Amino acid sequence: MMVQLEWYLILAAALFCVGLYGVLVRRNAVAILMGIELMLNAVNINLLAFWRFTEPAAATGQAFAAFVYAVAAAEVAVGLALIVAIYRNRQTVDMDQINLLKW
Amino acid sequence: MTVHDLLPILTALIPLPTFIAFALIILFFNKWKRVSHSIAIGAMLLAFLMAQVVFWSVIAPDGHELAEHPLHVQIPWLPSGAEALEMGVLIDPLGAFVLFFVSITCLCIFVYSVGYMSEGGKHYDPRYSRFFAYISLFATGMLGLTVADNLLMLFIFWEIMGLCSYLLIGFWWEKNYPDPKQVNPRQAGLKAFMTTRVGDVIMLLGIAYLYSATGTLSFRELLSAETLGILKEMPSYIPGLSAAALAGLLLFGGTVGKSAQFPLHVWLPDAMEGPTPVSAMIHAATMVSAGVYMAVRMFPLLQVGFDIHHGAQLTTPMIVMALIGTFSAFMAATIAVAQDDIKRVLAYSTISQLAYMVAALGIGAYVAAAFHLIAHAFFKALLFLGSGSIIVGSHHEQDMMKMGGLFKRMPVTAITFIVGGLSLSGFPLFFAGFWSKDEILAVAYHAGFNEGIVLAVVVYVFLALGALLTAFYTGRQICLTFLGQPRSDHAAHAHEVSWTVYVPLIALALFAVFFGYIGIPEVFPLLGGEHSNLFHHFVGATLGTETLHQLPHPEQLDLLPFVLSFLISPLGLLAGYLVYGRKPLQAGQPDPLVKALGPLYPVLKNKYYVDELYDAVFIQPAIKLAKWVYKWVDRWFIDGILHNVARGAFGLGHLNRRFDLAVINGGVDRMTDGIKWLAQNGRQVLQTGQVQHYLLQVLFFLCGFGVLYVWGDAILAFIQRLLGI
Amino acid sequence: MTQLVLFVIFGAITLAAAIAVVTARNLFHAVLWLLLAFFGVAGLYVLLEAPFFAAAQLFIYMGAIGVLIIYALMLTRGVMRQQVPLVNDQWALVAVLAVALLAVLSWLFLQHTWPTVDQAVGPDSLRTLGEALVDPGRYGFPFEVASVLLVMALIGAVTIVRER
């Protein structure tokens, strides 16, 4: 029995939801960043699964996965820098206390 | 590779220098004020030279050659599947002329800003460098918009300008006024941003609709006869409207916002809170012109189906444009009559003049609209810079009632300002404004009385009346400012600022006079000839216009509008002089109009109470709605879910504890603790400033939409069965 | 059959590790779980016959990003001693909604007919990818933009955390 496309999609969706849960509930900013990483990985699984099962001869799916890598790397670098900067300023990385968006 | 092959690449580079200048100033040179302005002006000069090289290389007596083979280069931006999104630059006759005037006015304004923002080198603004960074970015936006070859790129640069406009209107954000009703720069910036946003969203819808209907956003493909034919036949979501008409209407929404047409005109007068070079650049010469430019650019789409010789059916977008344009032109002109702030008069005059162009488009006169667009940019930039020179020269006095007698004290400013004013009022023969306005009026008359389009008659009558008012308020402004005796100490001690201020004025004054001579109608007596209307021959052949040969264009001279256009301006100016110039006002004396207009005056003075109306109809209800949503949706509904989940879980936890005290381990303990904490502290509203709470709402609605998508039909059937339908 | 077994193993590793990431009390443990989740994903890439991405996953995610997160954790370690609740007050609702989202998505995936092809991956798929990425007619431009993005992120990160 072959592994079907749907299985990969559901696995990716599950990984995405777990990551989403982490992003929405964790109070430590670094932990939130880890959740985002999980979500980005889920996206990449999707892209590569679609590439493998629908158009393995073309490069489109792989190319987009590569761009996700680049964006993820940039996101981690800037995100962590922001966390460190916030920590310096406010001595906390607890999201419940980082509410500068409040008007 | 010949020089001509390099031109498209040169065109693509035009927006680049100012962008680099922006980055350099922001990142490295914001401490050194003189270095900042040198970088900005150097970059603008480079862009100017490149733009002029392109312009003079492509200009020809006849534009058809360029329209068929425009300068065009494009690269694939992001191939996704079979379609690739292409980005590129394109110069056709219209683009060439817009590039010409944008580069000139921007350069003038950059130079002028040096004098204005430093008050002639004496007192530098604390955020001087930042100012030059912003206007450099702004110039990037405008130049990029001009050379863009597709709607998406145009929209991106359009938004860049919107951002710069916001930043620059609120440039002096710390300024407050004692009168709480007076709009301060901070609020003015927000107001401009939010108001234009309404138009921008509508325009974005139009772009998305066009893309879904045709699969392309490139001007060349969109405006080809083939695509236009398909769009004309394709029905849209709204019965009775073709896809072309619906897309045209939506795109025109962008013009209404950006070019400050009724009903989205309210932001422009308040935008005068920004520094004067900004008013000149953004709110007179370039950004507000972008809206009209886009409408002219998309005109072949807007008029699809219009054929003057076979039934003379104006298309729906054209009717809307004619009505909105005519109304805005007349309304803004009447308001301008009763304003005392020197910049506000000009702001309303800008709305009015842009409305002339919109109305001209509405009756099919797109060449006249483009011509007036460029002429207006020159003389209105001149007027604004002149008013800025007056404001700095007379120690930041903006109230015309406190000016007077400035002719002797600021002669260069006065002469150039009067040149600009005469051009604005369309004084016959010598000024650019005459030729451009005359062309609009002539076409409107021709379309209305010779071709029998009823709407054009209305357009003609109101635009002619508006021209009379324009001349009157221009006369009033000149008399109040320059003639008579000074009516305050500030005006008495006024003086010229510095050469960086008045050299740009002189340069723009030359264009405000001589630009008109490239567009003299062929049928004009004496001056007109076979080759006199260069502008028409060149710009008339703009991209996509091979599909529209059936437009109103006077073949011979109509006597009545010819005579009238000679009379209107001098009459209006004369009236202005008789009221304000013959017996100059004394200090403290009220405006003679107050008495003459009676109850009408406060209405005009308060801009027809449109701001108050918007406040009552949109803003107050929005605040009420927000409070209601906060109370019921947030606190009752969403928090209610939260509380009930918590309460249920809390109850469960209690049960658990009572049932199973012996086996309670860390896990359950932790859970009940968490839940208890939640139940006790859950009484939080959702506007907490915490991203996670906002994201939760997103997730909530995402799930809701998912459920609707999957089980929507079943739910609908269930409800129907429940209701017994 | 082997594929199926491997899929289940790697999928289980990935999901279990991911769940551990979002529930672990100790953040350092969470990072270690995260590395394990990345490893599981790399295994899935091998199953998808994308060895290049499996390797990249190991180098970039498990190597670079993992180390970076540990650094950030160490730099902000002051908070690890503070006793704050692990999760905020909306965790129950989020858990319900996340499961609901998963259910909806799964239902959609299963009922849609995907246009799959039964085709092997060619031996030079990596070559195809490489050529597409540098071809100016295809992804050449986005590729350059991505490199600019990375440089900007680098400069931006340094600027943000620089001591003043």
Side-chain angles (χ1 to χ4, degrees), chain C residues 105-137:
Chain C
L105 286 177
S106 307
W107 193 85
L108 281 177
F109 292 153
L110 287 175
Q111 71 127 28
H112 185 77
T113 329
W114 300 97
T116 50
V117 292
D118 196 9
Q119 191 182 337
V121 177
D124 52 355
S125 78
L126 186 56
R127 188 193 178 85
T128 322
L129 170 66
E131 277 167 0
L133 280 181
V134 291
D135 182 357

Short mmCIF file of all heavy atoms in Angstrom, two decimals, chain C residues 105-137:
data_model
loop_
_atom_site.label_atom_id
_atom_site.label_comp_id
_atom_site.label_asym_id
_atom_site.label_seq_id
_atom_site.Cartn_x
_atom_site.Cartn_y
_atom_site.Cartn_z
N LEU C 105 -9.94 20.89 8.06
CA LEU C 105 -8.94 20.72 7.00
C LEU C 105 -8.89 19.26 6.55
O LEU C 105 -8.86 18.98 5.35
CB LEU C 105 -7.57 21.16 7.51
CG LEU C 105 -7.35 22.67 7.63
CD1 LEU C 105 -5.98 22.96 8.20
CD2 LEU C 105 -7.49 23.33 6.27
N SER C 106 -8.87 18.35 7.50
CA SER C 106 -8.79 16.94 7.13
C SER C 106 -9.98 16.53 6.28
O SER C 106 -9.83 15.85 5.26
CB SER C 106 -8.74 16.07 8.39
OG SER C 106 -7.73 16.50 9.23
N TRP C 107 -11.13 16.99 6.69
CA TRP C 107 -12.34 16.65 5.93
C TRP C 107 -12.21 17.14 4.50
O TRP C 107 -12.50 16.44 3.54
CB TRP C 107 -13.54 17.29 6.63
CG TRP C 107 -14.84 16.75 6.10
CD1 TRP C 107 -15.47 15.62 6.50
CD2 TRP C 107 -15.64 17.32 5.08
NE1 TRP C 107 -16.62 15.44 5.80
CE2 TRP C 107 -16.75 16.48 4.91
CE3 TRP C 107 -15.53 18.46 4.29
CZ2 TRP C 107 -17.75 16.73 4.00
CZ3 TRP C 107 -16.52 18.72 3.37
CH2 TRP C 107 -17.62 17.86 3.24
N LEU C 108 -11.73 18.39 4.35
CA LEU C 108 -11.55 18.95 3.01
C LEU C 108 -10.56 18.13 2.20
O LEU C 108 -10.80 17.80 1.04
CB LEU C 108 -11.04 20.39 3.12
CG LEU C 108 -12.08 21.44 3.45
CD1 LEU C 108 -11.42 22.80 3.59
CD2 LEU C 108 -13.12 21.49 2.36
N PHE C 109 -9.43 17.76 2.82
CA PHE C 109 -8.41 17.03 2.09
C PHE C 109 -8.94 15.69 1.61
O PHE C 109 -8.65 15.25 0.51
CB PHE C 109 -7.19 16.78 2.99
CG PHE C 109 -6.44 18.04 3.32
CD1 PHE C 109 -5.71 18.13 4.49
CD2 PHE C 109 -6.47 19.13 2.47
CE1 PHE C 109 -5.02 19.28 4.80
CE2 PHE C 109 -5.78 20.29 2.77
CZ PHE C 109 -5.06 20.36 3.95
N LEU C 110 -9.72 15.06 2.48
CA LEU C 110 -10.15 13.71 2.14
C LEU C 110 -11.23 13.71 1.07
O LEU C 110 -11.31 12.79 0.26
CB LEU C 110 -10.66 13.00 3.40
CG LEU C 110 -9.54 12.59 4.35
CD1 LEU C 110 -10.11 12.00 5.62
CD2 LEU C 110 -8.62 11.59 3.67
N GLN C 111 -12.06 14.75 1.06
CA GLN C 111 -13.17 14.66 0.11
C GLN C 111 -12.82 15.24 -1.24
O GLN C 111 -13.50 15.03 -2.22
CB GLN C 111 -14.40 15.36 0.69
CG GLN C 111 -14.28 16.86 0.76
CD GLN C 111 -15.44 17.52 0.10
OE1 GLN C 111 -16.51 16.96 0.06
NE2 GLN C 111 -15.24 18.70 -0.44
N HIS C 112 -11.70 15.96 -1.32
CA HIS C 112 -11.29 16.51 -2.60
C HIS C 112 -10.54 15.44 -3.39
O HIS C 112 -9.78 14.65 -2.83
CB HIS C 112 -10.38 17.72 -2.37
CG HIS C 112 -10.00 18.42 -3.63
ND1 HIS C 112 -10.86 19.26 -4.29
CD2 HIS C 112 -8.87 18.41 -4.34
CE1 HIS C 112 -10.27 19.71 -5.38
NE2 HIS C 112 -9.06 19.22 -5.42
N THR C 113 -10.74 15.42 -4.72
CA THR C 113 -9.97 14.50 -5.54
C THR C 113 -8.75 15.23 -6.07
O THR C 113 -8.88 16.20 -6.81
CB THR C 113 -10.81 14.01 -6.73
OG1 THR C 113 -12.17 13.98 -6.32
CG2 THR C 113 -10.36 12.67 -7.20
N TRP C 114 -7.57 14.80 -5.67
CA TRP C 114 -6.37 15.52 -6.08
C TRP C 114 -5.87 14.97 -7.40
O TRP C 114 -5.92 13.77 -7.63
CB TRP C 114 -5.28 15.37 -5.02
CG TRP C 114 -5.70 15.91 -3.70
CD1 TRP C 114 -6.21 15.22 -2.65
CD2 TRP C 114 -5.70 17.27 -3.30
NE1 TRP C 114 -6.52 16.06 -1.62
CE2 TRP C 114 -6.20 17.33 -2.00
CE3 TRP C 114 -5.30 18.46 -3.93
CZ2 TRP C 114 -6.33 18.53 -1.30
CZ3 TRP C 114 -5.42 19.64 -3.22
CH2 TRP C 114 -5.94 19.66 -1.92
N PRO C 115 -5.39 15.85 -8.27
CA PRO C 115 -4.90 15.38 -9.59
C PRO C 115 -3.51 14.79 -9.47
O PRO C 115 -2.54 15.32 -9.99
CB PRO C 115 -4.90 16.67 -10.42
CG PRO C 115 -4.68 17.76 -9.43
CD PRO C 115 -5.27 17.30 -8.12
N THR C 116 -3.40 13.67 -8.80
CA THR C 116 -2.07 13.09 -8.61
C THR C 116 -1.64 12.34 -9.86
O THR C 116 -2.46 11.83 -10.62
CB THR C 116 -2.06 12.14 -7.42
OG1 THR C 116 -3.15 11.24 -7.58
CG2 THR C 116 -2.19 12.87 -6.12
N VAL C 117 -0.34 12.27 -10.07
CA VAL C 117 0.20 11.47 -11.17
C VAL C 117 1.12 10.43 -10.56
O VAL C 117 1.78 10.68 -9.56
CB VAL C 117 0.98 12.34 -12.17
CG1 VAL C 117 0.03 13.25 -12.92
CG2 VAL C 117 2.07 13.15 -11.49
N ASP C 118 1.14 9.29 -11.18
CA ASP C 118 2.04 8.24 -10.69
C ASP C 118 3.30 8.30 -11.52
O ASP C 118 3.41 7.69 -12.57
CB ASP C 118 1.34 6.88 -10.83
CG ASP C 118 2.05 5.84 -9.98
OD1 ASP C 118 2.94 6.25 -9.19
OD2 ASP C 118 1.71 4.66 -10.11
N GLN C 119 4.24 9.08 -11.04
CA GLN C 119 5.41 9.34 -11.85
C GLN C 119 6.61 9.38 -10.93
O GLN C 119 6.55 9.92 -9.83
CB GLN C 119 5.23 10.70 -12.55
CG GLN C 119 6.23 10.99 -13.62
CD GLN C 119 6.00 12.38 -14.22
OE1 GLN C 119 4.90 12.93 -14.13
NE2 GLN C 119 7.02 12.95 -14.78
N ALA C 120 7.70 8.79 -11.40
CA ALA C 120 8.90 8.77 -10.54
C ALA C 120 9.62 10.11 -10.65
O ALA C 120 9.51 10.82 -11.63
CB ALA C 120 9.82 7.64 -10.98
N VAL C 121 10.35 10.44 -9.59
CA VAL C 121 11.18 11.64 -9.64
C VAL C 121 12.39 11.35 -10.48
O VAL C 121 13.05 10.32 -10.29
CB VAL C 121 11.61 12.05 -8.22
CG1 VAL C 121 12.52 13.24 -8.27
CG2 VAL C 121 10.39 12.35 -7.39
N GLY C 122 12.67 12.23 -11.45
CA GLY C 122 13.82 12.00 -12.32
C GLY C 122 15.12 12.07 -11.54
O GLY C 122 15.18 12.65 -10.46
N PRO C 123 16.18 11.49 -12.10
CA PRO C 123 17.46 11.50 -11.39
C PRO C 123 18.06 12.89 -11.27
O PRO C 123 18.89 13.14 -10.39
CB PRO C 123 18.34 10.60 -12.27
CG PRO C 123 17.70 10.63 -13.61
CD PRO C 123 16.23 10.79 -13.37
N ASP C 124 17.64 13.82 -12.17
CA ASP C 124 18.27 15.14 -12.14
C ASP C 124 17.31 16.22 -11.62
O ASP C 124 17.29 17.33 -12.11
CB ASP C 124 18.79 15.51 -13.53
CG ASP C 124 17.71 15.36 -14.57
OD1 ASP C 124 16.62 14.87 -14.20
OD2 ASP C 124 17.95 15.72 -15.73
N SER C 125 16.47 15.83 -10.64
CA SER C 125 15.52 16.82 -10.14
C SER C 125 16.23 17.97 -9.43
O SER C 125 15.82 19.12 -9.50
CB SER C 125 14.53 16.17 -9.16
OG SER C 125 15.13 15.98 -7.91
N LEU C 126 17.35 17.65 -8.80
CA LEU C 126 18.10 18.70 -8.13
C LEU C 126 18.68 19.67 -9.15
O LEU C 126 18.68 20.88 -8.96
CB LEU C 126 19.21 18.08 -7.28
CG LEU C 126 19.98 19.06 -6.41
CD1 LEU C 126 19.02 19.80 -5.51
CD2 LEU C 126 21.00 18.31 -5.58
N ARG C 127 19.12 19.10 -10.27
CA ARG C 127 19.67 19.93 -11.33
C ARG C 127 18.58 20.86 -11.88
O ARG C 127 18.81 22.05 -12.10
CB ARG C 127 20.20 19.02 -12.44
CG ARG C 127 20.95 19.74 -13.51
CD ARG C 127 21.15 18.80 -14.71
NE ARG C 127 21.84 19.51 -15.76
CZ ARG C 127 23.15 19.62 -15.82
NH1 ARG C 127 23.90 19.03 -14.92
NH2 ARG C 127 23.71 20.30 -16.80
N THR C 128 17.38 20.30 -12.09
CA THR C 128 16.27 21.12 -12.56
C THR C 128 16.02 22.29 -11.61
O THR C 128 15.85 23.44 -12.04
CB THR C 128 14.98 20.27 -12.63
OG1 THR C 128 15.32 18.97 -13.07
CG2 THR C 128 13.97 20.91 -13.54
N LEU C 129 16.01 21.96 -10.31
CA LEU C 129 15.77 23.01 -9.32
C LEU C 129 16.84 24.08 -9.38
O LEU C 129 16.55 25.27 -9.43
CB LEU C 129 15.74 22.39 -7.92
CG LEU C 129 15.72 23.38 -6.76
CD1 LEU C 129 14.43 24.17 -6.75
CD2 LEU C 129 15.91 22.68 -5.43
N GLY C 130 18.10 23.64 -9.42
CA GLY C 130 19.21 24.59 -9.44
C GLY C 130 19.14 25.50 -10.65
O GLY C 130 19.30 26.72 -10.54
N GLU C 131 18.84 24.90 -11.81
CA GLU C 131 18.78 25.72 -13.01
C GLU C 131 17.62 26.69 -12.96
O GLU C 131 17.73 27.84 -13.37
CB GLU C 131 18.69 24.82 -14.25
CG GLU C 131 20.06 24.33 -14.67
CD GLU C 131 19.98 23.21 -15.68
OE1 GLU C 131 18.85 22.82 -16.06
OE2 GLU C 131 21.05 22.71 -16.08
N ALA C 132 16.48 26.21 -12.42
CA ALA C 132 15.31 27.11 -12.33
C ALA C 132 15.61 28.29 -11.41
O ALA C 132 15.18 29.41 -11.67
CB ALA C 132 14.09 26.34 -11.81
N LEU C 133 16.37 28.04 -10.36
CA LEU C 133 16.62 29.11 -9.39
C LEU C 133 17.51 30.20 -9.94
O LEU C 133 17.40 31.35 -9.53
CB LEU C 133 17.25 28.53 -8.11
CG LEU C 133 16.28 27.87 -7.13
CD1 LEU C 133 17.02 27.38 -5.92
CD2 LEU C 133 15.20 28.84 -6.72
N VAL C 134 18.42 29.85 -10.85
CA VAL C 134 19.31 30.90 -11.35
C VAL C 134 18.94 31.37 -12.74
O VAL C 134 19.58 32.27 -13.28
CB VAL C 134 20.78 30.44 -11.33
CG1 VAL C 134 21.27 30.30 -9.91
CG2 VAL C 134 20.95 29.16 -12.09
N ASP C 135 17.91 30.79 -13.32
CA ASP C 135 17.49 31.20 -14.66
C ASP C 135 16.80 32.56 -14.58
O ASP C 135 15.77 32.70 -13.91
CB ASP C 135 16.51 30.14 -15.20
CG ASP C 135 16.07 30.48 -16.61
OD1 ASP C 135 16.50 31.55 -17.10
OD2 ASP C 135 15.31 29.70 -17.20
N PRO C 136 17.36 33.58 -15.25
CA PRO C 136 16.73 34.90 -15.14
C PRO C 136 15.29 34.89 -15.66
O PRO C 136 14.49 35.74 -15.27
CB PRO C 136 17.63 35.81 -15.99
CG PRO C 136 18.56 34.93 -16.70
CD PRO C 136 18.57 33.58 -16.06
N GLY C 137 14.96 33.94 -16.50
CA GLY C 137 13.60 33.89 -17.01
C GLY C 137 12.63 33.21 -16.05
O GLY C 137 11.43 33.22 -16.26
#
